[in-house]
Amino acid sequence: MNAEHHEHHAWAEPYKIKMVELLRMTTREERQRAIREAGYNTFLLRSEDVYIDLLTDSGTSAMSDRQWAGLMLGDEAYSGSRNFYNLQDAVREFYGYRYLVPTHQGRGAEHLMSKIMIRPGDYVPGNMYFTTTRLHQELAGGAFVDVIVDEAHHPASTHPFKGNVDLGKLDALVREVGAEHVPYISLEGCVNMAGGQPFSMANLRELNAYCREHGIPIMLDATRTIENAWFIRQREPGYADKSISEILREICDLTDGCTMSSKKDLLVNIGGFFACNDEQLFLKAQNMVVVYEGLHTYGGMAGRDMEAMAIGIHEAVMEDHQSARIGQVHYLGRKLLDAGIPIVKPIGSHAVFLDARSFLPHVDQDLFPAQTLAAELYIEAGIRSMERGNVSAGRDPQTGQNRHPKLELVRLTLPRRVYTQAHMDVVAEAVIDVYKRRETIGGLNMVYEPEYLRFFQARFTPHETSRGSGSHNDSHKRAEATPVPA
Ligand SMILES: *Cc1c(COP(=O)(O)O)cnc(C)c1O
């Protein structure tokens, strides 16, 4: 399997379908009502009202028959479940970390790690923020500092490793605040907020050397590291003949520990863990998990969940699985590129990201272009996507102002092993149809804003502008305002 081969469609699924879940089709009127009732926030839609659900790849994967069989082997003992040991074996074999603390999902692990490692006043550098990761750093008294390469903030840059850490930015921070105020660097694979962009092994090796010299641990956000390993094999010189598991192991060996949301790479619907090599750190995490999650041999998961995850690890490192998974994302991305739709380049791991700023250049960022576009896509064809822009970025805790991120994106996130190529065609057609009528689309006003992680629960109403209704709470008016030719 090489890049050339992959380009030519060899991403066909390495599985066949044994069970199906029926979907409900809706009319445009039904969708207009549903999105209005959801406050124009796709998180607040009912799943039943969605045709193709690309909200997230988190916990939405289809499990294999082996994983379902694994559920039946759940050992639901309160303590010392056999499934915990199976999971520990799999984490040791494929990730290589010595110690494992299971948690109910990724943020559970982030919570433990932030509480243990961060002291108030500390600075936590990272290759771009992730919503829950940064919030737990802040709740523990730390301040997140972005040290990703500049290219990551430019949707059109085709740098092959936009997830790389800028060592210059990291060094500037360390010089300014002192290494003793940097408890660790948080390193994410296939950086979600940058468009699913990988880091390179060369960059990690340099980072490792720098961190050794300054005594700063590297804590991996391992959520999509297996997908990152796939990109290293495709793009980095010297890795074409290595297996995904070999590359994964090499990544982990250059880091000190990880938090994991198993709901992504690991093909399960729920679960996560913290893992590390340092015994003292492990003992603290093992002690804290009983306060917030559950006993240290289940951490908030049922025994059967741990078994499904252990099997999921074995399946996730399979070459043909990753080629099909990422191949499908690239199939959708290339269709959109061919139609001239502005998307983040290069196409990333788990999603295609629409560049809402270029898509809706006439919509002011404080009228939430990405949020608006996500609502329009739902109305167009029942496709649920997610805003990753001004709403997700939230407010600066110091100034209280919207952060106005450079990236104002709509994420079309592909669940693993769930949708078909025909579904991807429907998605592409819907995006193209919305693009054709983009000039009739106005923005949204935020009318309810929760304090934490506002994107999950915020509510909006259409912003009334002179250029047209831009709204969907008045379908009559909207019909008048949709004269764009095909
Ligand atoms: C999903 C995710 C998390 C948080 O994990 P949950 O399982 O949703 O709590 C952390 N980091 C990244 C990169 C993620 O994608």
Side-chain angles (χ1 to χ4, degrees):
M1 178 68 60
N2 56 41
E4 215 43 41
H5 188 43
H6 179 75
E7 286 301 311
H8 293 102
H9 225 111
W11 59 273
E13 294 82 353
Y15 53 80
K16 56 183 177 177
I17 296 166
K18 189 181 306 219
M19 189 191 285
V20 298
E21 179 177 341
L22 301 185
L23 299 174
R24 193 170 75 85
M25 311 297 261
T26 50
T27 64
R28 195 176 191 95
E29 286 64 37
E30 285 172 331
R31 294 193 293 274
Q32 281 171 337
R33 188 177 338 112
I35 194 74
R36 187 169 64 240
E37 284 170 4
Y40 295 85
N41 185 344
T42 52
F43 276 103
L44 302 179
L45 287 167
R46 287 167 181 253
S47 158
E48 274 185 337
D49 294 333
V50 173
Y51 173 42
I52 300 176
D53 200 347
L54 307 186
L55 183 70
T56 173
D57 63 333
S58 182
T60 52
S61 297
M63 292 206 295
S64 67
D65 52 355
R66 292 175 212 194
Q67 285 177 293
W68 280 100
L71 294 184
M72 294 305 295
L73 301 177
D75 170 3
E76 307 304 344
Y78 188 84
S79 168
S81 160
R82 134 172 36 95
N83 314 118
F84 167 77
Y85 296 102
N86 291 346
L87 177 60
Q88 191 178 54
D89 287 347
V91 170
R92 281 186 179 152
E93 179 181 349
F94 292 100
Y95 290 87
Y97 300 117
R98 224 165 298 150
Y99 302 112
L100 171 73
V101 177
T103 59
H104 78 286
Q105 61 184 81
R107 72 199 71 181
E110 292 171 343
H111 178 210
L112 303 182
M113 183 172 84
S114 301
K115 264 187 122 66
I116 293 165
M117 296 185 77
I118 300 171
R119 287 165 308 174
D122 279 352
Y123 295 85
V124 188
N127 55 343
M128 204 172 266
Y129 82 100
F130 184 72
T131 53
T132 58
T133 318
R134 181 177 65 193
L135 179 59
H136 280 296
Q137 292 163 357
E138 289 172 353
L139 290 172
F144 166 82
V145 182
D146 188 10
V147 296
I148 202 165
V149 292
D150 283 339
E151 285 86 347
H153 293 282
H154 300 294
S157 159
T158 55
H159 190 295
F161 292 107
K162 286 164 97 172
N164 279 355
V165 171
D166 183 328
L167 274 287
K169 288 184 189 171
L170 176 61
D171 189 50
L173 173 72
V174 171
R175 280 166 193 275
E176 191 190 327
V177 306
E180 67 281 11
H181 294 297
V182 180
Y184 61 90
I185 174 164
S186 174
L187 179 73
E188 184 188 335
C190 283
V191 181
N192 198 348
M193 302 302 285
Q197 305 295 336
F199 58 73
S200 70
M201 195 72 84
N203 183 253
L204 175 53
R205 247 184 255 114
E206 269 183 65
L207 177 67
N208 174 279
Y210 180 90
C211 289
R212 291 289 146 263
E213 191 189 322
H214 293 85
I216 300 170
I218 303 173
M219 303 308 285
L220 186 67
D221 181 336
T223 300
R224 294 186 187 80
T225 306
I226 302 178
E227 292 176 353
N228 199 114
W230 187 91
F231 280 104
I232 287 175
R233 200 183 52 172
Q234 292 290 314
R235 294 180 183 167
E236 195 160 353
Y239 286 91
D241 296 325
K242 294 220 160 129
S243 69
I244 290 176
S245 347
E246 283 172 315
I247 299 171
L248 174 65
R249 202 41 204 274
E250 191 174 332
I251 292 172
C252 295
D253 288 351
L254 288 166
T255 68
D256 298 279
C258 79
T259 54
M260 168 60 104
S261 169
S262 312
K263 302 171 71 172
K264 323 291 175 43
D265 264 359
L266 301 188
L267 299 164
V268 287
N269 304 123
I270 192 70
F273 58 79
F274 170 77
C276 66
N277 291 322
D278 180 85
E279 191 185 5
Q280 289 311 309
L281 192 58
F282 162 66
L283 289 173
K284 284 183 194 165
Q286 193 188 39
N287 191 207
M288 195 162 289
V289 78
V290 300
V291 180
Y292 293 104
E293 302 277 318
L295 196 76
H296 56 276
T297 56
Y298 74 85
M301 280 180 286
R304 54 182 174 269
D305 298 330
M306 292 189 283
E307 190 65 24
M309 195 198 302
I311 298 167
I313 293 176
H314 285 87
E315 294 181 1
V317 298
M318 287 179 179
E319 324 283 330
D320 53 4
H321 163 66
Q322 288 301 341
S323 296
R325 190 283 184 281
I326 299 173
Q328 189 180 44
V329 175
H330 285 228
Y331 172 78
L332 174 61
R334 273 196 301 269
K335 272 198 122 125
L336 294 177
L337 280 177
D338 289 349
I341 306 293
I343 67 170
V344 174
K345 288 184 279 192
I347 303 162
S349 52
H350 60 298
V352 176
F353 291 72
L354 305 177
D355 177 3
R357 274 176 180 245
S358 306
F359 205 112
L360 300 174
H362 54 279
V363 177
D364 185 89
Q365 198 171 12
D366 278 330
L367 294 177
F368 309 109
Q371 188 78 29
T372 305
L373 180 52
E376 288 293 338
L377 257 179
Y378 172 72
I379 293 167
E380 186 66 34
I383 294 158
R384 172 151 72 170
S385 57
M386 184 194 294
E387 193 263 10
R388 292 273 88 152
N390 201 5
V391 184
S392 294
R395 292 178 188 274
D396 185 299
Q398 253 67 55
T399 67
Q401 297 300 305
N402 282 330
R403 282 183 166 109
H404 294 134
K406 282 204 184 111
L407 297 180
E408 180 72 28
L409 309 177
V410 170
R411 193 179 76 180
L412 300 164
T413 335
L414 271 59
R416 295 163 186 79
R417 310 193 288 206
V418 172
Y419 291 113
T420 66
Q421 187 169 340
H423 286 125
M424 296 304 105
D425 293 344
V426 170
V427 173
E429 284 159 20
V431 173
I432 293 164
D433 285 345
V434 173
Y435 192 63
K436 285 178 186 157
R437 61 175 175 84
R438 64 191 179 278
E439 284 173 12
T440 65
I441 297 170
L444 294 167
N445 292 317
M446 198 186 297
V447 292
Y448 168 64
E449 179 176 0
E451 188 178 353
Y452 301 113
L453 304 174
R454 65 182 184 181
F455 56 96
F456 283 130
Q457 292 153 344
R459 300 184 73 87
F460 302 82
T461 53
H463 179 75
E464 299 298 337
T465 63
S466 52
R467 68 165 52 240
S469 76
S471 77
H472 316 289
N473 61 351
D474 183 336
S475 54
H476 178 65
K477 209 164 146 198
R478 198 173 160 285
E480 288 173 2
T482 318
V484 176

